[in-house]
């Protein structure tokens, strides 16, 4: 496996492949700032302290992610780096650097640079050097990613010619760490949001449910995916950190563990569908037309309403005093209001008095009309400007940082119809245009400066979500926000797990009654990237506190843990669980039904997937199943098969 990148995701991904899957890894990184090398020159050396450090850290972090029972790979993860593990330092990914990294002999290549253009250029070069190579490309632009994926797959199919098996194995997968991590970050800031996995037309929705009341039985939904830590809803809870003892989150528990768990929330698979809710024409028009409240201020609207009430009262008084028809009374009142020359000469004194009062109201109406015109013109002129937080705003989420991650989190929060106020120091940041388009208030300024968070109404906010790329900035913002409001719910983006644990323990001790949570973008994204390097089996991932649960499509053939076993026997708590049987289409690939009798017995299937399989159903070699797996479980299923295939072929060409 070859991993190329220039940030923490590359190191985390390399550690994931080596420490969890037991693969040989070549990590390509930019040269150290202390070493100046010409562009394109690569310097190869044996995997040294850097790779050792990230591998050992990954092993320590993932040792509890699914248990350490037999077959978990604990001993394998603790082994020293293999002879094939290397660290390549190169300023640019040229043909020579990729060849030096062993792309021509590699099984898979991950391009996770922060720049989309760099990843695309390297992907095109790598596909030319090795048409049978599995590619995993990190791209922020989703629409461009779809086109690049189709282009590279087509190039691989033409290059391998009649070798259909190799062409199917040489897949291209485009992923975005921002899209992977945004739902988890948004869910951490807002209690009760669901976790959604969507791939092609398949939609899986996992819901986090609170602990059931005493005497009640929790609804397991389609199945129970995880037991949350006993203190997940407690402000002083450990959120899955190592100091929570035996009450850490438990992934893929068996029925006995679910029944024995008391006072613990659950994550259940609740909905499976293929049809998304259509966007109605009314919602489209509502999104395109700005509301009236955005044109005129509340004070002006109340003033206009008061004047309208005065006009109605004057018309009623004229009807009662002069005995005029109601419509005629309204007409005469409007004439007097607009000072049209129709004096009430010879009329009763009451009529003349009402005319004077109506004229006075008309004089008061002129500045109101002028103010309305000026406000409307000002609103249209500032349509491209950023909105300020409105007065009286409360119960909102303060989002710190509008970079790649912050932009996706902002979009996710608005999809959930959650009020947001953004704080960004760079007026040219990527997410500023998105905030302007979504009409989200933005405060421009350095969050470390006094008064910036106050302008975002932090004292009335529901939560603070700090997702900048600097851990110290996130921490400083949280500390300042806690000084303003000690009970504020905060979610930090922190890269290092040890640092996150230390920060959490300190904040918990200082503010025991406030919720504090931390998330790592690379920690959430690395499992999906690592799984994609074994092919297109990975459908998606959902976060469970600081851990990750993966959904994968796996062929039963070649896996002794599945083949010939019943669904109940194939279920391995903490590692994997068979959720559905594929009898038609999945991930856009049409196949002949593998088990037509199973489809007839289970009418609750969704577009070729049979859910709620009986525990007695025997998995056959030609079957393909959708399963939920932990990182350890998926590594055992995919990693072992990959090593056996590599041993059989002895070359970079992938077997069937």
């Amino acid at each position: 496996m070859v991993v190329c990148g220039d940030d923490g995701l590359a190191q985390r991904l390399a550690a994931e492949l080596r420490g969890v899957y037991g693969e040989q890894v070549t990590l390509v990184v930019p040269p150290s700032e202390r070493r100046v090398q010409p562009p394109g020159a690569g310097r190869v050396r044996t995997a040294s302290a850097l790779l050792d450090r990230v591998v050992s850290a990954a092993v320590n972090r993932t040792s509890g992610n699914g248990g350490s029972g037999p077959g978990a790979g604990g001993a394998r993860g603790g082994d020293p780096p293999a002879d094939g593990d290397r660290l390549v330092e190169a300023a640019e990914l040229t043909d020579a650097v990729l060849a030096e990294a062993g792309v021509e002999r590699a099984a898979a290549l991950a391009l996770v640079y922060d720049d989309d253009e760099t990843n695309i250029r390297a992907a095109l070069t790598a596909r030319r050097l090795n048409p049978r190579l599995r590619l995993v490309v990190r791209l922020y632009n989703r629409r461009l990613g779809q086109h690049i994926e189709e282009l590279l797959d087509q190039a691989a199919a033409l290059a391998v010619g009649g070798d259909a098996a190799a062409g199917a194995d040489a897949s291209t997968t485009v992923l975005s760490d921002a899209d992977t991590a945004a739902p988890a970050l948004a869910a951490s800031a807002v209690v009760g949001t669901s976790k959604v996995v969507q791939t092609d037309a398949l939609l899986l929705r996992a819901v986090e449910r609170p602990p059931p009341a005493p005497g009640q039985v929790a609804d397991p939904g389609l199945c129970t995916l995880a037991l949350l830590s006993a203190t997940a809803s407690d402000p002083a809870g450990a959120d899955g950190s190592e100091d929570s003892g035996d009450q850490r989150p438990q992934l893929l528990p068996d029925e006995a563990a679910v029944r024995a768990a008391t006072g613990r929330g659950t994550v259940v698979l609740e909905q499976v569908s293929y049809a998304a809710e259509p966007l109605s024409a009314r919602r489209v028009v509502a999104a395109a037309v700005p509301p009236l409240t955005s044109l005129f201020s509340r004070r002006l609207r109340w003033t206009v309403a008061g004047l309208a009430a005065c006009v109605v009262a004057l018309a009623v008084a004229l009807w009662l005093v002069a005995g005029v028809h109601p419509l005629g009374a309204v007409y005469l009142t409007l004439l007097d209001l607009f000072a049209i020359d129709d004096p009430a000469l010879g009329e009763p004194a009451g009529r003349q008095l009402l005319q004077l009062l109506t004229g006075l109201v008309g004089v008061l109406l002129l500045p109101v009309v002028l103010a309305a015109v000026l406000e409307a013109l000002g609103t249209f002129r500032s349509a491209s400007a950023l909105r300020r937080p409105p007065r009286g705003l409360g119960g909102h989420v303060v989002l710190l940082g509008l970079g790649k991650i912050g932009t996706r989190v902002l979009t996710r929060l608005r999809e959930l119809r959650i009020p947001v106020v953004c704080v960004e120091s760079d007026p040219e940041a990527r997410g500023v245009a998105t905030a302007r388009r979504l009409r989200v208030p933005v405060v421009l300024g350095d969050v470390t400066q006094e008064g910036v968070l106050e302008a975002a109404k932090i004292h009335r906010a529901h939560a603070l979500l700090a997702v900048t790329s600097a851990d110290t900035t996130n921490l400083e913002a949280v500390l300042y926000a806690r000084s303003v409001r000690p009970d504020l719910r905060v979610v930090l983006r922190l890269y290092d797990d040890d640092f996150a644990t230390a920060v959490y323990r300190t904040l918990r001790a200082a503010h025991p009654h406030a919720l504090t949570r931390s998330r790592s973008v690379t920690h959430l994204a690395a499992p999906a990237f690592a799984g994609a390097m074994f092919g297109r089996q990975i459908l998606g991932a959902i976060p469970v506190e600081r851990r990750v649960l993966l959904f994968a499509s796996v062929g039963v053939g070649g896996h002794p843990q599945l083949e010939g076993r019943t669904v109940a026997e194939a279920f391995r708590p903490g590692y994997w669980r068979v959720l559905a049987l594929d009898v038609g289409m999945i991930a856009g690939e049409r196949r002949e039904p593998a088990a037509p009798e199973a489809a007839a017995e289970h009418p609750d299937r969704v577009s070729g997937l049979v859910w709620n399989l009986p525990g007695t159903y025997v998995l056959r070699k030609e079957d393909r199943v959708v399963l939920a797996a932990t990182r350890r479980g998926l590594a055992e299923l995919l990693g072992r098969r990959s090593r056996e295939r590599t041993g059989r072929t002895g070359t970079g060409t992938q077997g069937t």
Side-chain angles (χ1 to χ4, degrees):
M1 302 288 182
V2 180
V3 178
C4 305
D6 58 354
D7 59 3
L9 180 58
Q11 297 184 12
R12 181 87 71 170
L13 178 56
E16 185 88 9
L17 293 170
R18 179 66 185 97
V20 178
Y21 290 84
E23 295 290 331
Q24 296 180 358
V25 181
T26 296
L27 178 60
V28 182
V29 295
S32 174
E33 296 180 357
R34 292 172 297 179
R35 303 184 184 93
V36 180
Q37 293 182 336
R43 179 173 171 269
V44 184
R45 56 189 173 93
T46 308
S48 60
L50 174 61
L51 196 56
D52 287 338
R53 183 172 66 253
V54 296
V55 168
S56 61
V59 172
N60 294 332
R61 283 190 295 267
T62 58
S63 59
N65 213 17
S68 57
R76 182 187 62 209
D79 293 340
D83 294 338
D85 292 339
R86 297 187 303 166
L87 182 65
V88 179
E89 293 182 349
E92 294 182 4
L93 280 183
T94 61
D95 293 18
V97 171
L98 289 175
E100 198 171 19
V103 168
E104 296 177 352
R105 305 180 306 276
L109 167 66
L111 299 167
V112 293
Y113 284 91
D114 191 55
D115 179 54
D116 286 2
E117 182 180 351
T118 301
N119 293 328
I120 294 174
R121 184 182 304 164
L124 297 174
T125 303
R127 178 60 76 207
R128 176 172 51 83
L129 294 176
N130 187 355
R132 294 173 173 81
L133 181 69
R134 280 193 301 272
L135 285 175
V136 179
V137 186
R138 172 189 181 184
L139 290 182
Y140 181 80
N141 191 326
R142 288 175 288 189
R143 179 176 299 179
L144 176 61
Q146 294 177 356
H147 296 305
I148 292 296
E149 186 173 315
E150 295 174 358
L151 175 65
L152 293 175
D153 281 346
Q154 183 178 3
L158 294 175
V160 298
D163 194 353
D169 197 41
S171 60
T172 304
T173 305
V174 175
L175 297 175
S176 169
D177 57 332
D179 291 332
T180 305
L185 294 170
S188 301
V190 184
V191 180
T193 55
S194 59
K195 311 170 192 298
V196 176
V197 173
Q198 185 170 3
T199 174
D200 295 325
L202 177 61
L203 180 67
L204 308 177
R205 185 160 70 96
V207 178
E208 183 175 317
R209 294 182 178 176
Q216 294 183 355
V217 179
D219 182 10
L222 292 176
C223 69
T224 301
L225 298 176
L227 293 173
L228 300 177
S229 58
T231 55
S233 58
D234 182 8
D239 193 25
S241 61
E242 296 301 327
D243 62 347
S244 56
D246 295 334
Q247 300 301 317
R248 292 179 294 176
Q250 184 177 353
L251 304 183
L252 301 177
D254 54 14
E255 296 182 2
V258 174
R259 289 194 302 266
T262 57
R264 301 179 65 173
T266 58
V267 177
V268 300
L269 185 62
E270 188 177 72
Q271 176 182 336
V272 181
S273 64
Y274 271 80
E277 180 183 358
L279 188 63
S280 62
R282 179 179 300 178
R283 291 177 59 187
V284 172
V285 173
V289 179
L292 183 65
T293 56
S294 65
L295 295 178
F296 307 107
S297 64
R298 179 181 298 180
R299 181 180 300 177
L300 181 60
R301 295 196 302 269
W302 277 108
T303 303
V304 172
L307 290 175
C310 291
V311 172
V312 173
L314 291 171
V316 173
L318 181 60
W319 171 39
L320 296 177
V321 171
V324 185
H325 190 272
L327 292 179
V330 174
Y331 174 69
L332 293 176
T333 301
L334 293 177
L335 289 179
D336 297 335
L337 182 68
F338 297 125
I340 296 178
D341 191 15
D342 187 16
L345 299 177
E347 299 290 337
R351 168 75 179 92
Q352 293 177 347
L353 179 61
L354 288 174
Q355 188 177 51
L356 293 175
L357 293 176
T358 305
L360 179 61
V361 173
V363 173
L364 298 177
L365 181 62
L366 290 177
V368 175
V369 173
L370 179 61
V373 172
L374 293 178
E375 277 201 4
L377 290 177
T379 300
F380 284 113
R381 289 182 60 186
S382 61
S384 60
L386 296 174
R387 295 185 59 193
R388 300 290 297 176
R391 295 179 180 179
L393 178 64
H396 58 287
V397 174
V398 177
L399 177 62
L400 172 59
L402 286 177
K404 291 183 177 181
I405 305 299
T407 304
R408 291 287 193 255
V409 174
L410 172 61
T411 304
R412 176 65 176 169
L413 290 173
R414 294 306 298 150
E415 290 175 353
L416 298 173
R417 300 183 182 277
I418 296 170
V420 186
V421 174
C422 301
V423 179
E424 176 57 51
S425 59
D426 183 11
E428 302 297 329
R430 182 187 300 268
V432 172
T434 302
R436 184 185 297 113
R437 175 175 54 85
L438 297 176
R439 296 187 175 88
V440 174
V442 178
V443 177
L444 292 177
D446 187 356
V447 71
T448 60
Q449 299 297 323
E450 187 174 354
V452 175
L453 285 179
E454 286 84 350
K457 306 294 189 294
I458 192 65
H459 56 285
R460 290 198 297 265
H462 169 73
L464 170 64
L465 187 54
V467 294
T468 69
S469 57
D471 289 0
T472 54
T473 301
N474 296 333
L475 178 58
E476 186 174 358
V478 167
L479 293 177
Y480 183 77
R482 281 283 171 81
S483 67
V484 176
R485 183 179 167 186
D487 62 340
L488 180 66
R489 178 187 181 96
V490 297
V491 181
L492 304 86
R493 173 188 174 187
L494 299 177
Y495 172 77
D496 186 77
D497 287 349
D498 295 334
F499 180 60
T501 302
V503 168
Y504 167 78
R505 289 174 176 172
T506 305
L507 290 176
R508 182 182 61 181
H511 305 280
H513 301 292
L515 274 167
T516 303
R517 297 293 180 258
S518 64
R519 297 291 182 264
S520 169
V521 173
T522 58
H523 185 82
L524 296 172
F529 279 81
M533 295 185 74
F534 291 93
R536 284 179 172 168
Q537 298 100 321
I538 304 300
L539 303 179
I542 63 169
V544 180
E545 299 183 16
R546 281 188 72 89
R547 302 187 180 182
V548 178
L549 187 64
L550 302 170
F551 292 89
S553 172
V554 178
V556 174
H559 294 293
Q561 306 95 328
L562 304 176
E563 186 177 348
R565 298 174 180 263
T566 64
V567 173
E569 294 172 346
F571 173 38
R572 187 175 177 184
Y575 288 86
W576 59 75
R577 177 172 185 168
V578 176
L579 300 178
L581 177 67
D582 180 11
V583 295
M585 179 195 298
I586 188 169
E589 182 182 1
R590 173 71 65 179
R591 293 186 305 277
E592 294 297 327
E597 65 278 6
E601 294 175 0
H602 303 281
D604 58 339
R605 63 180 182 180
V606 182
S607 184
L609 293 179
V610 179
W611 300 87
N612 291 328
L613 287 170
T616 57
Y617 177 78
V618 179
L619 299 174
R620 300 180 296 185
K621 181 179 181 180
E622 61 271 17
D623 287 342
R624 191 171 186 86
V625 296
V626 175
L627 51 82
T630 62
R631 296 156 69 192
R632 285 286 187 187
L634 195 64
E636 184 170 342
L637 283 175
L638 300 184
R640 178 181 302 174
R641 188 179 183 186
S642 175
R643 287 193 302 275
E644 291 174 354
R645 181 171 60 236
T646 304
R648 289 197 308 266
T649 58
T651 63
T653 303
Q654 299 301 307
T656 59

